[in-house]
Amino acid sequence: MPIWTLHGDGKNIRPGEVVAPGERLSWGRTIGLGSQHVVSMFGATFVFPIIMGLNPQLAVMMSGFCTLFFLLVVKGRIPSYLGTSAAFVGGIAAIRAQGGTSAEVTGAILVSGLVLAAIGIAIHFLGGRVVFKVLPPVVTGAVVMLIGFNLAPVVAGLYWPQDQWVALIVMVALIVMSIALRGFMARIAIFLALIFGYVLSWISTGSRARSPRTTQAPVRSPSTSASTGIRCSRRRGSACPRSRTRPTESSASTLRRSA
């Protein structure tokens, strides 16, 4: 494995330059970018299989296997991680809507993987310029936007009902950080928004736990308690609570007639 060398001064990257696989930035920037990458990896590899109704443990295992295989193929020259793609969520949601089973979903993913492998072989021989001709930035940007739209109902139905205000504040904070921050801090805006969301959720949860809870005993009328006791004795076989109120004159006369 190549030894990492410091890229420039380790802090600034000039326009048009890239950090090569054998290079690194300063350790603070490397740890920050690596932490953000771990967050993105977990969201893609663990959460998406749950959304698609698959086993997340199996997805993590196959992700690690494919990553090791990829590193062996490229001989360690391209440090990359292969995780679950969000592009499958929309197609699998359509399969599930038609009553598809997990076996059919897995088969569809397998066929997609074979198609991607064939495309990779074609690009290897034809060159990377074919990708830019067939898929220009306008097309790839629209595809990424459609992937986000496919995930919007998942967020609205699964995560949004848990705590709407925390989710809304974190989303606004992420947008503001991406626009207002400059340099390296803007590159790790997702990681900073995650830390901000955890702190905000911890504060809101603690304030709810410290708030006193007052409960008021329900006021029941004699007729309500009596009817409740009848339902209890008929359905559960328990004794009904006796009413402390005296029977009225009409009820007493009714009892004499029945006797």
Side-chain angles (χ1 to χ4, degrees), residues 25-205:
L25 298 175
S26 62
W27 285 115
R29 286 167 170 75
T30 302
I31 293 174
L33 290 174
S35 301
Q36 181 171 266
H37 190 74
V38 169
V39 171
S40 302
M41 175 274 295
F42 179 81
T45 307
F46 198 85
V47 176
F48 290 157
I50 297 177
I51 295 174
M52 295 183 287
L54 301 176
N55 190 347
Q57 287 83 3
L58 179 61
V60 172
M61 184 187 71
M62 295 305 300
S63 177
F65 172 78
C66 294
T67 301
L68 294 175
F69 180 74
F70 173 80
L71 294 176
L72 291 176
V73 171
V74 300
K75 298 179 181 179
R77 292 174 296 182
I78 303 177
S80 181
Y81 173 82
L82 303 182
T84 308
S85 176
F88 292 97
V89 176
I92 292 179
I95 296 175
R96 293 288 190 184
Q98 298 177 4
T101 61
S102 297
E104 295 173 346
V105 168
T106 307
I109 295 175
L110 178 61
V111 173
S112 301
L114 295 176
V115 173
L116 290 175
I119 294 175
I121 295 174
I123 293 174
H124 176 74
F125 291 101
L126 298 177
R129 296 181 180 179
V130 179
V131 179
F132 294 101
K133 291 182 180 180
V134 178
L135 299 174
V138 177
V139 178
T140 56
V143 170
V144 174
M145 184 174 62
L146 290 176
I147 293 175
F149 286 154
N150 288 327
L151 294 177
V154 177
V155 175
L158 185 61
Y159 296 103
W160 183 260
Q162 295 182 8
D163 202 331
Q164 298 89 343
W165 290 110
V166 173
L168 182 62
I169 293 173
V170 172
M171 182 185 67
V172 173
L174 175 59
I175 296 174
V176 172
M177 290 178 185
S178 302
I179 298 176
L181 296 178
R182 294 291 182 269
F184 176 75
M185 302 303 291
R187 296 179 182 271
I188 60 171
I190 298 177
F191 183 62
L192 296 177
L194 177 68
I195 297 176
F196 173 75
Y198 269 111
V199 174
L200 183 62
S201 179
W202 176 70
I203 294 174
S204 62
T205 304

